[in-house]
Structure formats: C-alpha cells, structure tokens
Amino acid sequence: MSQFTWFTGRGPALLEAQLDRRIGLAAPASLDHRPLGEQRLVVLDLETSGFDMKRDQLLSIGAVVIERGAIDLGQQFECTLQRLDHKVGPSVLIHGLAPSQIAAGSEPAEALLAFMEFVGDSPLLAFHAGFDQRMLARALKQSLGYSLRHRFFDVAELAPLLCPQAKIPRGGLDDWTRYFGLQAQQRHHASADALVTAELALILFSRARRQQLDSLQALEQRLAGWRRRQKVHLI
C-alpha cells in the first residue's frame, strides 16, 4: 500500500497511520444533566499570526483539563505548529513566538491529531471562544480534512451572565482576572492563558451552582436566553 493516502478534491495528504488516527478520533459527547463537578472539560487558548480568520494561521495551542471540579495539572497540552512559510508580523509583539520556534515546531497534522486525541469527546472552553473555535476548525480542515463538531463554551459570555453585579458586560480576560484577583503567569502565552482561563471557569462554575445551574445543559439553556436579551439591548 502507498505511504500516503490522498483525500479527493483539494484535501490534505496524510500518512496512512495519520489517517487511521483521524478515523479513530472520538466523537464529541452530547450535553447532559451531569453535575459540573463530574465533567471533563478542556480549556484551550490559541496563539495565531493575526486576527483574520480567513488568512492568518494557527501558531500554538495551550490547553489544560478541568476534571472532577478541579484543574488537573497532570493533563496539559502545549504545542507550537511548524509554519515554514510564516512571515513575521505585528502579532509577534503579542505572542512572542520567534520565527525559529515556529520553524522548529511540530508538523501541523501531527500537532492537531495529538491535540484532538488529548481532547477526546470533551467539550471545550475558551475566552472569546468564537475566534478559537473558527481558527481551530479551519486548521483541522486544512491539515486533516477533519470537521470540528465539539461544543464550545465561551468564558467571556459565562462571566457577565453569572456575575452581572461586576458590570463588565464586554470585558476581556484581563478585566475578569483583575475582578477576581487572579494573575496570569505570562499573558499572551497559550498555556498560561489557558490556565488562568481555567481558574476563572472554576470560579464561574461555583457561581453557577449557587444559581442552580449545575450542568452544561443548564448553562447552555441560560446562555441562549442571555444572548437573546443582549441582541434586544443592541437594537
């Protein structure tokens, strides 16, 4: 058999072992009424070459796991993706990834397979999750021909939903970490940002339980109503 398996159309070429791994990736779990303390959740942060979701590239992934109501430091993921055609732009002042680090990174298909194996069937959390979700989905489609279907929760939505008294309706991660007295070891570093986002999520889950919102399904339902009210206020 050939060393490579070619997808039809304009899809990527993968080693047969990579294709087998892609086929073996877990399907996303459906939301249910299990208490938040019984969930496994993957909190991620991405660093990218810019903020254009159609043109810029995913450069690094950092992720930690919340399981049994705590951050499991034994389950962490960190990877820089190799981008041989990467051009240095203004974003390097934010993420601090040197061209040599990016050139020496992991081959994208390998990095993304390893990350999705780490994720398993778990839901994902991120701050301003829409951007991370789109950038990750695009990278997965380009490098693996894989369609991302995992559920994302946006900590930037959960915070004002659960803590309206903070009066930070559209705050950034720095605003909320200051509000709760948290400190990121190194901002705009994927792993450090993922860790502080996970710490913030645990605080918010505690607030959610006090409001009888002790499952991802209950949070999703409350978020749906909150989003509708936000749209009305903007009209």
Side-chain angles (χ1 to χ4, degrees):
M1 297 178 68
S2 170
Q3 183 183 11
F4 291 93
T5 297
W6 292 87
F7 294 123
T8 58
R10 294 182 297 171
L14 297 178
L15 293 168
E16 290 181 8
Q18 292 174 327
L19 181 57
D20 289 341
R21 289 168 65 192
R22 196 204 73 162
I23 293 170
L25 292 175
S30 58
L31 300 186
D32 55 33
H33 289 292
R34 279 183 298 158
L36 294 171
E38 296 179 11
Q39 295 278 351
R40 181 184 187 268
L41 301 159
V42 175
V43 186
L44 82 156
D45 185 81
L46 307 180
E47 297 299 335
T48 63
S49 61
F51 300 106
D52 188 324
M53 290 183 282
K54 294 182 178 179
R55 183 187 64 196
D56 287 308
Q57 293 179 309
L58 173 59
L59 300 181
S60 71
I61 305 171
V64 297
V65 168
I66 294 175
E67 193 163 24
R68 292 188 289 275
I71 298 170
D72 183 353
L73 295 178
Q75 298 187 69
Q76 298 188 63
F77 185 93
E78 183 172 9
C79 187
T80 298
L81 280 67
Q82 183 184 71
R83 301 296 189 186
L84 298 178
D85 58 347
H86 175 66
K87 294 180 175 60
V88 177
S91 64
V92 72
L93 299 175
I94 299 174
H95 57 63
L97 291 168
S100 58
Q101 291 176 276
I102 296 169
S106 299
E107 192 271 323
E110 280 294 311
L112 291 163
L113 279 168
F115 178 63
M116 292 310 297
E117 289 167 343
F118 175 82
V119 171
D121 66 352
S122 300
L124 294 147
L125 283 84
F127 200 95
H128 291 149
F131 178 79
D132 295 88
Q133 183 175 13
R134 290 181 181 90
M135 291 298 289
L136 179 60
R138 179 167 161 260
L140 287 165
K141 180 63 72 174
Q142 288 179 337
S143 295
L144 297 177
Y146 176 86
S147 296
L148 180 65
R149 294 179 290 113
H150 289 63
R151 189 68 63 92
F152 272 71
F153 284 84
D154 191 350
V155 179
E157 288 186 326
L158 291 174
L161 165 72
L162 297 169
C163 305
Q165 72 281 359
K167 300 188 185 304
I168 311 176
R170 295 178 184 84
L173 183 57
D174 289 331
D175 298 308
W176 285 103
T177 53
R178 278 195 300 269
Y179 179 77
F180 287 113
L182 302 173
Q183 290 186 339
Q185 293 180 350
Q186 185 180 352
R187 281 290 280 117
H188 302 296
H189 181 278
S191 293
D193 282 354
L195 181 58
V196 76
T197 301
E199 293 171 350
L200 175 58
L202 288 178
I203 294 172
L204 295 174
F205 289 163
S206 176
R207 301 293 176 97
R209 282 189 287 269
R210 295 180 203 169
Q211 298 173 41
Q212 286 74 54
L213 299 170
D214 194 18
S215 72
L216 292 177
Q217 193 171 79
L219 278 176
E220 178 62 31
Q221 291 171 350
R222 182 67 64 86
L223 274 169
W226 181 85
R227 291 185 190 114
R228 288 193 294 269
R229 291 193 297 274
Q230 298 308 301
K231 288 181 180 179
V232 170
H233 291 157
L234 291 173
I235 295 175

